[in-house]
Amino acid sequence: MGLFDSIMKSLKQTIKAETANTSSSSKPTVGKGTNRTESFTFASLPNNLAELQALKEASLDSAFKTTALTIVALCSYEKNPEGCIEMLNFLKGPEDLSTHEKDFIKERLNGKFYKTFSFFEGATPENSYTPNVPYIIKVSENPYSFDEENWATLYVKSSGADNPRPIKLRKKPSTGQWFLNDIQCLSDIRIPVKDDPWA
C-alpha cells in the first residue's frame, strides 16, 4: 500500500469515527416515540368531579392518564350530563369546554351512549358494549404522538371500530400536567347487535 493510500485510509477512519460520535451525542427528535401502550384499571367509574379527583390518575402528570380519564368522564354523560361536563372542564385545565364542544358531545352521544363504554375491555357489539368489571382501558401512542413540543395525540381502541380513535392533549409546562384539548374519538361505531336489523 502506497503512502497516499495509507493517508486516505486513515482519513476515512477518522471521518467515520467523528460521524459516529456526532450521531450518538445528537439530541433525539422531540417526541420521537414508539408504540407504547399503558393500561388503566378502575374499580368503578366516577359519577361526579369529586370522585374523579379522588382517582390517582387525576394528577394528570402524563398524557396517558388524562386520556384515560377523558373516556371515564364521558361514560357519565347519559346519567349526569352536568357532572360529566364538570369533569371534562377539570380535564381541560385553564380553559372550559366551549359551547360548540358541549353541543358536539351531546350530538355525538345522544342515543349512542354505548360509544364511550366500547373503549373498555370486554365490551363488544354482541354484548351491547357491556365492559368487564373492573373497567380496563388501554391508551396507546404512535411514533408521531409527541412530535410537537407540549402537544400530544394519543389513541383509544373501540371494539366497534376498525382503527384506534384519537384524543388531543396539551401540556402546561409550569405544572407539568397534561390537559384535554380535543375529543376526537366519538365518531360512530358499529351499533349493538340487538339493535341491528341486519345482524
Side-chain angles (χ1 to χ4, degrees):
M1 183 183 290
L3 180 61
F4 178 77
D5 291 331
S6 297
I7 293 171
M8 287 304 294
K9 184 177 179 183
S10 176
L11 185 60
K12 284 179 182 177
Q13 288 174 341
T14 302
I15 291 171
K16 188 174 180 181
E18 287 180 359
T19 303
N21 289 339
T22 303
S23 301
S24 62
S25 64
S26 61
K27 290 183 179 179
T29 306
V30 173
K32 201 63 177 176
T34 57
N35 290 313
R36 186 166 52 114
T37 296
E38 291 192 15
S39 181
F40 298 89
T41 302
F42 302 94
S44 60
L45 300 179
N47 295 304
N48 55 53
L49 179 56
E51 291 179 5
L52 181 85
Q53 289 174 323
L55 298 171
K56 65 180 184 295
E57 291 81 6
S59 61
L60 309 184
D61 56 356
S62 87
F64 289 85
K65 292 179 182 178
T66 307
T67 300
L69 290 185
T70 298
I71 300 300
V72 164
L74 285 167
C75 287
S76 69
Y77 191 83
E78 179 180 12
K79 295 179 179 177
N80 184 10
E82 290 182 7
C84 174
I85 297 303
E86 281 188 352
M87 287 188 271
L88 292 174
N89 281 339
F90 167 73
L91 297 174
K92 286 277 287 181
E95 301 173 352
D96 285 349
L97 289 168
S98 67
T99 301
H100 172 74
E101 288 173 313
K102 292 176 186 176
D103 290 343
F104 173 81
I105 293 169
K106 181 178 180 180
E107 184 266 324
R108 289 297 173 128
L109 293 183
N110 189 30
K112 299 177 181 179
F113 300 109
Y114 55 80
K115 282 185 189 179
T116 55
F117 292 96
S118 75
F119 297 107
F120 291 97
E121 287 194 359
T124 66
E126 290 74 25
N127 68 10
S128 299
Y129 296 109
T130 304
N132 296 336
V133 179
Y135 301 87
I136 299 173
I137 186 169
K138 291 181 178 178
V139 179
S140 301
E141 67 175 359
N142 68 24
Y144 309 101
S145 285
F146 294 90
D147 264 2
E148 190 177 348
E149 189 175 8
N150 296 323
W151 291 88
T153 300
L154 296 183
Y155 298 85
V156 286
K157 182 76 174 74
S158 166
S159 56
D162 295 328
N163 298 312
R165 301 289 176 83
I167 292 179
K168 192 170 184 180
L169 306 111
R170 183 176 182 179
K171 185 178 183 180
K172 185 177 180 182
S174 62
T175 65
Q177 291 174 300
W178 285 90
F179 293 105
L180 170 64
N181 179 261
D182 192 12
I183 299 172
Q184 302 172 332
C185 61
L186 296 180
S187 300
D188 282 343
I189 61 174
R190 289 184 281 277
I191 64 174
V193 169
K194 71 177 181 60
D195 298 328
D196 186 356
W198 292 99

